[in-house]
Amino acid sequence: EAQVTQNPRYLITVTGKKLTVTCSQNMNHEYMSWYRQDPGLGLRQIYYSMNVEVTDKGDVPEGYKVSRKEKRNFPLILESPSPNQTSLYFCASSLLGGRSYNEQFFGPGTRLTVL
Amino acid sequence: GENVEQHPSTLSVQEGDSAVIKCTYSDSASNYFPWYKQELGKRPQLIIDIRSNVGEKKDQRIAVTLNKTAKHFSLHITETQPEDSAVYFCAASWGYQGAQKLVFGQGTRLTINP
């Protein structure tokens, strides 16, 4: 089944404790992206990647890191989480990013709480 | 950068009536406008999209219109049904250094009353 998976689905942590949220897709998509969803603010892009070893900042990259060592995986890293990073996080992927503007497929979401 | 404003934030309609959600965007370079539906506790899913070279697109009960001059686009749902209840997000996208930057509106919570 073609899908985007994220782990963990739920996470409660404390300020300053490094964490990684994994994202994996099995559709051979070049483009992957991370969003955070907050009430009243919609979905905001954190980072995106056009292909392996190619990443770039979205609109709200502060406090986050990403890597794209393999085409199927795009982990989101919070080196020192803070309470303002409490949010619902979505990973998404699409085929042929750029001018093709293909549909983005979203993962199931990760609800993160930072105490 | 691009800014997308979406209205209303909440919308309640009677089953069978029509619902309209409106979005405006700021960057005239935007040329792709998708709409996503997010049911409670679920992930966003694309329901319809429109490109800047088209003024209107329809898919069964759902239609989207685009006014490039005014920089606004709208989602129209006719003959609403209970399963249309969800949060709807509009978005605008353009090619930026060859990448796909998608900027979302704030969302509209649509409730269909039986």
Side-chain angles (χ1 to χ4, degrees):
Chain A
E1 180 190 353
Q3 60 182 347
V4 180
T5 57
Q6 294 178 227
N7 282 291
R9 295 290 313 282
Y10 303 90
L11 179 61
I12 300 174
T13 189
V14 295
T15 298
K17 186 176 181 182
K18 181 179 178 179
L19 67 92
T20 299
V21 183
T22 64
C23 173
S24 183
Q25 51 90 9
N26 61 1
M27 296 172 278
N28 202 36
H29 286 171
E30 292 88 354
Y31 180 91
M32 298 185 74
S33 182
W34 275 102
Y35 298 90
R36 60 177 289 174
Q37 183 176 10
D38 301 290
L41 297 177
L43 292 135
R44 293 179 293 167
Q45 191 175 47
I46 303 171
Y47 269 94
Y48 63 93
S49 170
M50 288 293 289
N51 214 324
V52 174
E53 301 292 0
V54 181
T55 63
D56 207 348
K57 296 177 181 178
D59 293 321
V60 288
E62 295 78 18
Y64 305 94
K65 288 174 63 175
V66 292
S67 68
R68 188 87 182 274
K69 292 182 170 54
E70 305 165 284
K71 196 173 187 179
R72 63 183 293 128
N73 296 323
F74 190 44
L76 180 69
I77 303 155
L78 285 73
E79 295 262 356
S80 182
S82 62
N84 64 12
Q85 293 178 298
T86 292
S87 186
L88 178 59
Y89 291 86
F90 285 101
C91 179
S93 72
S94 73
L95 187 65
L96 294 175
R99 290 174 180 82
S100 297
Y101 303 127
N102 284 285
E103 174 183 359
Q104 290 198 19
F105 292 88
F106 284 79
T110 295
R111 186 165 294 281
L112 172 66
T113 302
V114 183
L115 301 174
Chain B
E2 175 65 281
N3 183 50
V4 178
E5 296 286 334
Q6 182 172 348
H7 299 280
S9 57
T10 60
L11 180 60
S12 183
V13 302
Q14 289 298 120
E15 183 178 351
D17 288 350
S18 296
V20 180
I21 302 171
K22 298 181 179 181
C23 290
T24 60
Y25 61 98
S26 60
D27 192 337
S28 55
S30 291
N31 54 12
Y32 174 64
F33 306 92
W35 285 87
Y36 283 81
K37 176 183 180 182
Q38 185 179 28
E39 296 176 355
L40 189 62
K42 300 287 183 63
R43 70 194 77 187
Q45 290 190 295
L46 181 73
I47 55 171
I48 196 167
D49 57 15
I50 191 167
R51 285 163 170 73
S52 59
N53 58 349
V54 176
E56 183 174 357
K57 184 177 179 180
K58 200 170 183 179
D59 183 3
Q60 299 182 335
R61 296 185 299 106
I62 293 173
V64 57
T65 59
L66 171 65
N67 184 328
K68 285 177 60 181
T69 303
K71 287 191 269 186
H72 67 70
F73 55 113
S74 301
L75 177 71
H76 304 253
I77 306 174
T78 58
E79 300 172 16
T80 53
Q81 300 168 3
E83 52 265 36
D84 295 329
S85 292
V87 177
Y88 291 81
F89 292 98
C90 63
S93 176
W94 74 104
Y96 175 70
Q97 295 181 349
Q100 183 180 359
K101 286 182 69 70
L102 205 57
V103 177
F104 286 85
Q106 297 84 354
T108 296
R109 182 174 299 280
L110 175 63
T111 302
I112 308 302
N113 301 308

